[in-house]
Amino acid sequence: MRLIAVVAALGAFLASPAEAAQTHVAVAANFTEPAKEIAELFKRKTGHEAVLSFGASGAFFTQITHGAPFEVFLSADSERPKGAADGGFALADSLFTYAIGKLVLWSRVIDVTDGEAALKAGQFQKLSIANPVAAPYGTAAVEAMKALGVYDALQPKIVQGNSIAQAFQFVDTRNAEVGFVALSQLYGVTTGTRWEVPPTLYSPIRQDAVLLKTGADSGASKAFLDFLKGPEARAIIERFGYALN
């Protein structure tokens, strides 16, 4: 009887092959690795598949407003998901903060342990940031530099990546000696030096998720957002260096 009860409980939790479905999720580039882990666990637990696309939040917002077939939007900020809801492209009551990002100055070739001193010294040729128009981590990098009073001096050295993933790549390949990246991108990275930017130097990077109108009738999309709020997903998010509400 106990075995029957366990099997019944599992059957209630897992989607049957006939019920299993896909959800198409637009994911901010900084959240690439945790999203992959969460999607894999989501599929194991529910049978549903989250098909992930990665990029800059601003670019995704533009695509969503032009009819891109995403059903869930995991942004790197709170403004664009709200904008999607205000514009009639998403369900306002589905909005929630899934992670709070942290900005880091990172280098493979110079010592940035004292990041403020390294920025003020400016002993480098190129400084990588994400495009501040499209990527919230780029906006945060500009805010931090302005707060430190170094932005004007460093502006000629700035190279912009289309997303935080490309900004990271510039530093990783040494095409830029130093750059502002997301703390989550340095998970498992042991080389180079880093400086976690004090959160007082930039606006909080509240990363919000929202169910898009295209996913309003999608059980898989709703299940993915519910899973993202759950303890297993939150443990992954925290492990990658994000703060949680």
Side-chain angles (χ1 to χ4, degrees), residues 31 38 41 227-238 244:
F31 202 65
I38 290 167
L41 188 59
F227 191 79
L228 191 62
K229 297 175 185 176
E232 291 170 307
R234 284 170 66 86
I236 293 170
I237 293 167
E238 203 165 26
L244 298 169

Side-chain angles (χ1 to χ4, degrees), residues 24-43:
H24 293 83
V25 187
V27 183
N30 75 88
F31 202 65
T32 297
E33 295 307 319
K36 288 177 181 177
E37 280 200 26
I38 290 167
E40 183 181 342
L41 188 59
F42 173 67
K43 186 172 184 178

Side-chain angles (χ1 to χ4, degrees), residues 30 102-104 137 164 168 180-186 242:
N30 75 88
K102 298 176 184 179
L103 185 70
V104 174
Y137 280 83
I164 195 67
F168 176 89
F180 285 98
V181 301
L183 177 61
S184 58
Q185 294 174 296
L186 296 179
Y242 295 93

Side-chain angles (χ1 to χ4, degrees), residues 23-27 32 35-37 39 50-54 70 74 224:
T23 178
H24 293 83
V25 187
V27 183
T32 297
K36 288 177 181 177
E37 280 200 26
V51 180
L52 309 176
S53 299
F54 304 103
F70 299 116
L74 305 188
F224 181 77

Side-chain angles (χ1 to χ4, degrees), residues 7-79:
V7 171
L10 284 172
F13 187 68
L14 291 169
S16 71
E19 295 169 335
Q22 289 185 339
T23 178
H24 293 83
V25 187
V27 183
N30 75 88
F31 202 65
T32 297
E33 295 307 319
K36 288 177 181 177
E37 280 200 26
I38 290 167
E40 183 181 342
L41 188 59
F42 173 67
K43 186 172 184 178
R44 281 209 312 268
K45 294 284 186 175
T46 70
H48 297 308
E49 181 182 6
V51 180
L52 309 176
S53 299
F54 304 103
S57 298
F60 278 137
F61 178 77
T62 300
Q63 292 169 26
I64 288 164
T65 60
H66 285 80
F70 299 116
E71 293 155 310
V72 173
F73 182 25
L74 305 188
S75 185
D77 65 3
S78 56
E79 287 77 17

Side-chain angles (χ1 to χ4, degrees), residues 104-110 112 168 171-174 177 181 185-195:
V104 174
L105 188 71
W106 178 53
S107 176
R108 284 195 179 277
V109 296
I110 66 172
V112 295
F168 176 89
V171 184
D172 195 34
T173 57
R174 295 177 172 81
E177 300 102 306
V181 301
Q185 294 174 296
L186 296 179
Y187 179 77
V189 175
T190 57
T191 57
T193 59
R194 66 182 72 178
W195 177 60

